[in-house]
């Protein structure tokens, strides 16, 4: 199993691969494919819990789903996302919530959607033995502030703020940085400036690694962002299998003889 140190060492080498997973069967597939990092993202809210945003996701949700992923993951580093308001309000609550991901769910690190308020917290968590993956650029927990999910770091001042925050989180001890939906040239500059690996999503080709939401990759999502790429069509496969099942039950074709058994010794009860 790679450690956060292995991943730090990988910066600038072969690209780091990261994908989300939220349940055991998906995690097993993602792990067996040789993915370096499995992120149990709070995108769980959209992909699996039927919410419109990530805001309603709770710490208990994250613990349950991260534990399911950790149970079947042999090789990838498992990172648990910290959901909305689970960190950054009160330091001891933040530490306790992040600690639950390692103690109860067997994650090896946590990811924080970052801002100026997470620099000290990152330092504290790292001192306590909780490795931190920072996340800058588009941070979906700010959806109500943004009024949607717009590209970030598009003017000089915003780009400089992202670079400053990236450096501050590296200094505070973060072992890697996710950069979401920012210009590729900004992501390239941040990657140059940092020693820790950057992992991009909608951030161009020059990050040290890439991450996507697994439902988008396999083609299960009803909608995916423009920076994502669909590599399969699981939704069409599922729709066709479920349609076939419904038709087979309705027509009496299923269950057939090979799906049933009779017990010769049972007397008729009715
Ligand atoms: O929640 C999530 O899945 C994420 C990734 C998209 C980086 O934060």
């Amino acid at each position: 199993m790679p450690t956060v140190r292995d991943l730090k060492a990988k910066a600038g080498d072969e690209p780091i691969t990261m994908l989300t997973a939220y349940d055991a069967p998906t995690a097993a597939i993602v792990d067996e494919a040789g993915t370096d990092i499995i992120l149990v993202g709070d995108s769980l809210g959209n992909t699996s819990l039927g919410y419109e945003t990530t805001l309603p996701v709770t710490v208990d949700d994250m613990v349950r789903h991260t534990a399911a992923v950790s149970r079947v993951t042999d090789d990838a580093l498992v990172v648990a996302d910290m959901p909305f308001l689970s960190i950054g309000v009160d330091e001891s609550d933040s530490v306790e919530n992040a600690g639950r991901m390692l103690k109860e769910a067997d994650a090896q690190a946590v990811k924080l959607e970052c801002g100026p308020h997470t620099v000290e917290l990152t330092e504290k968590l790292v001192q306590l033995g909780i490795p931190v993956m920072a996340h800058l650029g588009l941070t979906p927990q700010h959806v109500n502030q943004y009024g949607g999910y717009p590209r970030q770091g598009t003017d000089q001042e915003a780009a400089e703020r992202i670079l400053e925050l990236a450096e501050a989180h590296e200094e505070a001890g973060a072992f890697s940085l996710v950069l979401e939906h920012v210009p590729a040239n900004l992501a390239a500059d941040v990657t140059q400036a940092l020693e820790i690996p950057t992992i991009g999503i909608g951030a161009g080709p020059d990050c040290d690694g890439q991450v996507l939401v697994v439902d988008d990759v396999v083609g299960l999502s009803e909608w995916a962002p423009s920076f994502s790429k669909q590599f399969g069509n699981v939704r069409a496969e599922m729709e066709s299998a479920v349609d076939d099942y419904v038709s087979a039950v309705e027509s009496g074709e299923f269950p057939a003889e090979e799906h049933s058994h009779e017990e010769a010794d049972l007397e008729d009860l009715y």
Side-chain angles (χ1 to χ4, degrees):
M1 190 172 286
T3 63
V4 294
R5 291 180 69 139
D6 298 329
L7 287 162
K8 271 168 108 166
K10 235 186 142 184
D13 257 4
E14 211 182 298
I16 294 168
T17 52
M18 173 157 119
L19 264 182
T20 66
Y22 317 96
D23 58 55
T26 312
I29 292 169
V30 171
D31 189 39
E32 273 160 30
T35 313
D36 295 309
I37 307 174
I38 298 183
L39 170 67
V40 189
D42 65 350
S43 48
L44 164 74
N46 311 97
T47 58
S48 312
L49 300 180
Y51 298 129
E52 293 219 336
T53 70
T54 58
L55 306 192
V57 176
T58 66
V59 173
D60 285 343
D61 290 332
M62 293 307 304
V63 167
R64 182 175 294 266
H65 286 266
T66 303
V69 166
S70 299
R71 259 176 231 129
V72 299
T73 300
D74 295 324
D75 296 320
L77 186 88
V78 175
V79 179
D81 217 355
M82 296 309 299
F84 184 51
L85 299 186
S86 66
I87 52 116
V89 181
D90 170 83
E91 189 184 83
S92 67
D93 287 349
S94 305
V95 170
E96 189 182 326
N97 290 332
R100 287 187 64 193
M101 301 303 162
L102 276 69
K103 284 165 78 101
E104 294 176 39
D106 214 14
Q108 288 139 289
V110 297
K111 176 170 83 59
L112 315 182
E113 289 196 11
C114 290
H117 64 293
T118 51
V119 177
E120 270 181 37
L121 178 61
T122 297
E123 196 166 0
K124 179 80 183 175
L125 293 175
V126 172
Q127 276 169 0
L128 289 169
I130 304 176
V132 171
M133 173 180 277
H135 179 166
L136 289 168
L138 176 66
T139 46
Q141 291 169 15
H142 289 88
V143 57
N144 287 308
Q145 231 138 11
Y146 301 141
Y149 299 100
R151 203 172 289 127
Q152 298 294 306
T154 51
D155 62 55
Q156 204 57 33
E157 198 187 324
E160 277 166 20
R161 205 165 45 241
I162 288 174
L163 175 59
E164 276 164 25
L165 281 172
E167 288 175 331
H169 283 82
E170 174 173 74
E171 179 82 6
F175 75 93
S176 62
L177 169 71
V178 169
L179 281 171
E180 179 164 355
H181 211 10
V182 296
N185 48 334
L186 168 59
D189 285 348
V190 174
T191 302
Q192 279 279 316
L194 299 189
E195 283 188 17
I196 58 171
T198 57
I199 301 173
I201 171 163
D206 293 321
C207 292
D208 296 299
Q210 297 291 326
V211 56
L212 284 176
V213 166
V214 72
D215 295 50
D216 300 341
V217 166
V218 301
L220 184 58
S221 312
E222 264 183 307
W223 173 89
S226 58
F227 54 70
S228 183
K229 181 170 173 185
Q230 189 179 321
F231 291 82
N233 202 344
V234 166
R235 190 176 192 86
E237 272 293 312
M238 284 180 78
E239 281 170 351
S240 143
V242 172
D243 281 350
D244 289 352
Y245 165 76
V246 170
S247 307
V249 172
E250 284 175 351
S251 68
E253 218 175 283
F254 178 84
E257 230 176 275
E258 69 264 30
H259 308 117
S260 321
H261 76 280
E262 294 207 356
E263 201 56 69
D265 293 343
L266 274 185
E267 283 175 24
D268 287 348
L269 297 174
Y270 188 68

